[in-house]
Amino acid sequence: MDTNTINYAVYLVTDNTPAILGSRDLCEVVEASVRGGTTIVQLRDKTSDTGAMIEMGKKLHAITRKYKVPLLINDRIDVALAVGCEGVHIGQDDMELSAARKLLGPDAIIGVTVSTIEEAMVACKGGADYLGIGTVYATPTKTNTKNIIGAAGVRDILQAMADAGYDHVKTVCIGGLNAENLQRIVYQSEAPSKKLDGVAVVSALVAAPDPEAAARNLSQLFNSLPPFVKQSSAPKAETVDAILKLVPDVVKEVARGKPLSHNMTNLVVQNFAANVALAIGASPIMANYGEEAFDLCKLGGALVVNMGTVDPDGLQNYLKALRAYNSVGQPVVYDPVGAGATTLRRSAVKTILTHAYLDIIKGNEGEIRTVYGIDGHDSVQQRGVDSVSELEVSQKAELVRKLASREKNVVVMTGETDYLSDGQHTFRIDNGHVYLEMVTGTGCVLGTTISAYVAACPGDKLAATVAALLHFEIAAERAAERRDVQGPGTFVPAFLDELFKIRKETSEGRVGWLKSAK
Ligand code: 3NM
Ligand code: MG
């Protein structure tokens, strides 16, 4: 077997414990899964005697050879030698890589478990053929894991490998992967110049009711993009002019399509958010119970998760809803209100980032800085939920760009000037009015507005977000300039009116309001 052409896509790690294998025969389970599309198998057995392990290894090797897939043995170089299989997988506490190589020779496949950049560098330098990167998620299958690193941790390791010139070393990730999260993890863990070669699973195959079907499914999922990555055939608008040209169409499309804006938001702004959604022509629903999202996500709309009054139950509801929307690829807007204010909120941000794909993240400077710093890059203590600005203009634009690039999404940082980016193109918008800061919930209802726009224009989320911001902020300017508006109290109804009027004018082909865009 040529070690350069090994396919790591669906990597099965065996487990013969009753909790996972049940009363089934391991050989039958492995054969079914290889028939379905498993591309590489590792015999992992922490309890059997050497003789029994060699016997099982020989049986499995007869099967894997028939299907031309490699068999590796976990930890036990002696067993691998006795079986005569293709290689071994060694952990950080097992035999040294150099010693294993000496015993097995240059043609054997040797993989190493790593959970940090340092471990990855050592293994690559030592000549590992592939790395098993983990633990991605805590898993009942292996409880003595050292580091739970999420997709973000995998991505950092892949990036470090590429930076150090180890592109040729193959990689799989492991820990808690299954059919539901596989595509998202693979997508989110992709570094700019290196991506995973496969995913390693135990229970998703060994405990599957039908291992052949499960392997076929994992293989298909690994080889396709997640539903939330919209492959639009139309070219995306990339310049200010091109985006501005698109804005009227997007405003019209919201009014025409009446997309559902599903708000999981705080008590303070529910009423305001629903009224804003209606004014721009969207169809609002306020539903904070996660279970409902499994029905609502099928209606072609978008979800807003607004962390305004988060509690542990609320967090579980968000996660359910995010999973539902991610699974059908309908967009999600995340508003990490007060992200840095408390330990609970910081931890909620981290949980949400590791368990969901967020099409749009919208927040003020402190919130965006906290979300960016969540991986341990840099973190800020925020006071309350109000916005404070500490960064220079160029730093703000760079922060937004870097977060969007890392999360492969669109990030909006609101303030006197708003910054938004998809990681490649970064724009600033100077519209708006101070009254927006004197009324509660305007930031939250901007999230609602963006959700409707992205639902209406999923192929170009950046352009949709620009359209939402312009509609919203120019409406605020027009309202504030009205003679009947004397302060924040009279501003609110006038603002709703102007949102409505801009929508109506645009639908009738009158787009003069866009001239105020700056
Ligand atoms: N190694 P499941 S996690 C065997 O982090 C193993 O190195 C891990 O099982 C590591 O796919 C793990 O059922 C178990 O979550 C993975
Ligand atoms: Mg081990």
Side-chain angles (χ1 to χ4, degrees):
M1 214 170 282
D2 179 0
T3 48
N4 294 315
T5 59
I6 304 292
N7 182 350
Y8 290 89
V10 182
Y11 184 137
L12 164 68
V13 181
T14 69
D15 192 311
N16 51 8
T17 56
I20 291 178
L21 183 62
S23 57
R24 292 178 296 178
D25 176 61
L26 185 62
C27 291
E28 280 172 24
V29 168
V30 169
E31 178 151 15
S33 106
V34 172
R35 255 199 326 270
T38 288
T39 58
I40 179 165
V41 178
Q42 177 195 132
L43 169 59
R44 181 173 181 270
D45 181 343
K46 298 290 188 189
T47 53
S48 296
D49 291 336
T50 306
M53 205 172 158
I54 292 172
E55 193 184 329
M56 178 53 79
K58 285 185 170 163
K59 282 201 230 163
L60 289 180
H61 199 212
I63 295 166
T64 57
R65 262 202 312 221
K66 194 162 78 184
Y67 294 90
K68 299 194 167 54
V69 308
L71 175 71
L72 313 179
I73 308 287
N74 185 286
D75 294 359
R76 301 287 303 269
I77 287 86
D78 56 336
V79 174
L81 284 167
V83 171
C85 62
E86 287 69 31
V88 292
H89 182 89
I90 53 184
Q92 289 294 321
D93 302 326
D94 302 333
M95 182 185 283
E96 290 268 342
L97 173 55
S98 55
R101 181 63 76 194
K102 235 181 236 160
L103 290 167
L104 291 168
D107 295 336
I109 304 170
I110 304 185
V112 178
T113 295
V114 302
S115 65
T116 64
I117 290 174
E118 292 69 36
E119 289 172 356
M121 292 301 113
V122 171
C124 289
K125 192 156 180 265
D129 294 291
Y130 78 90
L131 305 185
I133 306 173
T135 306
V136 179
Y137 288 135
T139 169
T141 310
K142 184 174 195 262
T143 48
N144 65 339
T145 53
K146 282 184 243 162
N147 272 331
I148 305 299
I149 61 174
V154 178
R155 184 186 53 228
D156 289 346
I157 291 173
L158 292 175
Q159 185 61 56
M161 289 173 73
D163 291 346
Y166 293 124
D167 306 73
H168 59 284
V169 179
K170 306 291 182 192
T171 52
V172 298
C173 71
I174 186 160
L177 276 105
N178 55 46
E180 190 241 297
N181 60 25
L182 182 156
Q183 285 183 310
R184 180 173 58 75
I185 299 293
V186 171
Y187 181 74
Q188 292 185 315
S189 65
E190 183 177 347
S193 57
K194 187 157 175 63
K195 59 180 182 188
L196 289 167
D197 298 285
V199 290
V201 300
V202 179
S203 49
L205 286 171
V206 183
D210 180 347
E212 181 175 342
R216 193 173 302 117
N217 189 31
L218 293 183
S219 167
Q220 193 270 327
L221 290 169
F222 182 77
N223 291 303
S224 54
L225 285 167
F228 51 75
V229 180
K230 301 285 181 205
Q231 300 291 74
S232 171
S233 51
K236 281 187 190 163
E238 296 188 339
T239 62
V240 173
D241 285 347
I243 290 185
L244 285 177
K245 249 197 191 140
L246 262 183
V247 170
D249 291 339
V250 191
V251 176
K252 272 189 237 172
E253 185 51 28
V254 173
R256 193 202 60 77
K258 299 197 179 359
L260 184 78
S261 170
H262 173 180
N263 287 250
M264 300 185 93
T265 192
N266 63 80
L267 300 170
V268 186
V269 301
Q270 287 191 347
N271 175 279
F272 192 19
N275 279 330
V276 164
L278 290 169
I280 62 171
S283 168
I285 180 164
M286 305 290 136
N288 283 356
Y289 192 50
E291 211 62 41
E292 286 186 295
F294 292 96
D295 293 330
L296 294 173
C297 71
K298 295 176 190 141
L299 304 178
L303 172 71
V304 184
V305 169
N306 174 303
M307 227 172 59
T309 47
V310 67
D311 58 36
D313 281 348
L315 179 59
Q316 290 313 312
N317 280 310
Y318 299 159
L319 295 176
K320 265 190 200 164
L322 289 166
R323 198 155 71 224
Y325 276 78
N326 278 175
S327 75
V328 294
Q330 288 302 119
V332 171
V333 179
Y334 176 44
D335 191 343
V337 183
T342 63
T343 308
L344 181 99
R345 279 176 202 245
R346 276 193 296 272
S347 132
V349 170
K350 183 164 186 170
T351 304
I352 288 170
L353 283 179
T354 42
H355 287 88
Y357 173 75
L358 308 160
D359 299 77
I360 315 281
I361 300 176
K362 177 209 79 70
N364 62 36
E365 184 180 315
E367 289 157 357
I368 295 299
R369 287 182 67 180
T370 305
V371 172
Y372 184 73
I374 251 15
D375 290 338
H377 291 277
D378 92 294
S379 184
V380 281
Q381 174 63 42
Q382 209 187 326
R383 245 174 280 115
V385 297
D386 292 333
S387 196
V388 270
S389 182
E390 289 168 13
L391 296 178
E392 308 289 328
V393 167
S394 62
Q395 291 176 308
K396 289 182 191 180
E398 185 57 6
L399 171 64
V400 167
R401 188 196 64 75
K402 283 203 300 207
L403 181 60
S405 160
R406 190 184 83 187
E407 300 299 324
K408 298 190 176 68
N409 68 355
V410 172
V411 173
V412 185
M413 189 165 95
T414 56
E416 208 174 301
T417 298
D418 308 309
Y419 295 86
L420 72 163
S421 179
D422 64 356
Q424 273 155 353
H425 305 283
T426 306
F427 299 109
R428 56 181 284 176
I429 293 178
D430 285 300
N431 291 100
H433 194 274
V434 284
Y435 284 163
L436 285 173
E437 286 165 35
M438 298 162 75
V439 175
T440 190
T442 49
C444 304
V445 303
L446 174 60
T448 302
T449 306
I450 295 172
S451 75
Y453 273 81
V454 184
C457 181
D460 195 340
K461 292 167 194 168
L462 187 66
T465 306
V466 171
L469 280 161
L470 289 176
H471 185 172
F472 191 88
E473 304 207 315
I474 293 173
E477 286 172 7
R478 285 184 18 166
E481 282 157 15
R482 274 168 41 165
R483 263 203 255 137
D484 56 328
V485 171
Q486 280 143 33
T490 37
F491 170 74
V492 173
F495 176 51
L496 288 174
D497 284 351
E498 295 302 325
L499 283 171
F500 168 74
K501 280 160 66 183
I502 285 179
R503 182 247 291 196
K504 196 156 170 283
E505 289 166 23
T506 312
S507 296
E508 289 163 1
R510 290 182 288 141
V511 295
W513 62 275
L514 254 184
K515 292 206 183 81
S516 320
K518 36 185 198 223

